[in-house]
Amino acid sequence: MTFSLVARSADGRRHGVVVASRFLAAGALVPAAEAEVGALATQAHVNLAYRPQGLTLLRTGVAAADVVAGLVAADPDRDHRQLGVVAATGAGATWTGPACHPWAGGQAGDGWAAQGNILAGPQVIDAVRDAWLGGATLPFPDRLLAALRAGDQAGGDRRGRQSAGLLVVERGGGYDGTGDVLVDLRVDDHPDPVTELGRLLAVHTLLFSRPDPATLLDLTGAVAAEVGALLAALGHPVDPARPEEALFSWAGLENLEERLVPGRIDPVVLEHLRRAAPHVPAPRAETDPLGADA
């Protein structure tokens, strides 16, 4: 009653699972992933034991195809299961039990596996595959979502839509570098869950993506003057002795702390600040309120 994609980034640093279903909170049941180890999706008649067992096998270097073979061989209800696995290297693998409701099936290739059951037809998995293979220039979470969206547009779960989920892991990629979960988003009950998942990913990217160093602006001159005026208008006056304190305080309240860089400002943060105080023009003063000359 679900379709999913498990995949590995080209550099092997990220693993992820994306899923959609006419089933409540599929994102809570289907995916499992561990940084630099692998990822898997268990669906149809879900076997939650596949998640820890599969990751344990992957952690010891077992290939994806052998993980699938081992899990289903030990499962008396394997005919009702569906499973997709990717490891740290090599091709992905997928299993569809013969008792899964039609249409059911999967495909796999280097670093990916797509599978689904109770689908509108095989074109759903074809669309997931084609979007994944054609999306190499996209950021990894967006590439996973694009593949899910393509499957949804090709008919998806033939019973309709209800939930979707996206899980991405990367070593040290979590909040403030203190964990490995880069993205963990779920839409548990929604009439258009894939679209809603896309909205959530856009918000997540805004708030938690680290800035591109090449785009950072020096917090001096006209930029510093504008930032100071905007912050003051929002009730965060700048103390020349601690020029960044007001910016960091405001950004923390806006949940933008992951985008802060001492002495510089992310253009995404600056634009967010401008939208928060759009009536404030950029100041033309010769002296910058953050302490730098214009």
Side-chain angles (χ1 to χ4, degrees), residues 174-185:
Y175 182 81
D176 199 30
T178 57
D180 297 339
V181 178
L182 181 68
V183 180
D184 187 3
L185 298 172

Side-chain angles (χ1 to χ4, degrees), residues 84-154:
V85 178
V86 290
T89 60
T94 186
W95 159 267
T96 297
C100 290
H101 293 291
W103 188 88
Q107 299 180 35
D110 184 26
W112 65 274
Q115 46 282 315
N117 61 95
I118 320 185
L119 300 185
Q123 72 273 12
V124 176
I125 299 303
D126 289 344
V128 171
R129 175 203 64 206
D130 292 346
W132 170 254
L133 295 176
T137 61
L138 294 172
F140 185 67
D142 297 85
R143 187 180 180 187
L144 288 168
L145 180 62
L148 191 73
R149 185 179 291 115
D152 190 53
Q153 292 172 347

Side-chain angles (χ1 to χ4, degrees), residues 6 15 17 29-42 47-75 82-88 93:
V6 294
H15 285 80
V17 184
L29 300 178
V30 172
E34 184 172 330
E36 300 178 3
V37 168
L40 64 88
T42 171
N47 185 342
L48 292 176
Y50 280 3
R51 301 193 305 182
Q53 292 170 358
L55 291 176
T56 297
L57 291 169
L58 290 168
R59 207 175 295 124
T60 63
V62 177
D66 293 330
V67 171
V68 169
L71 290 176
V72 301
D75 185 352
Q82 197 165 47
L83 175 64
V85 178
V86 290

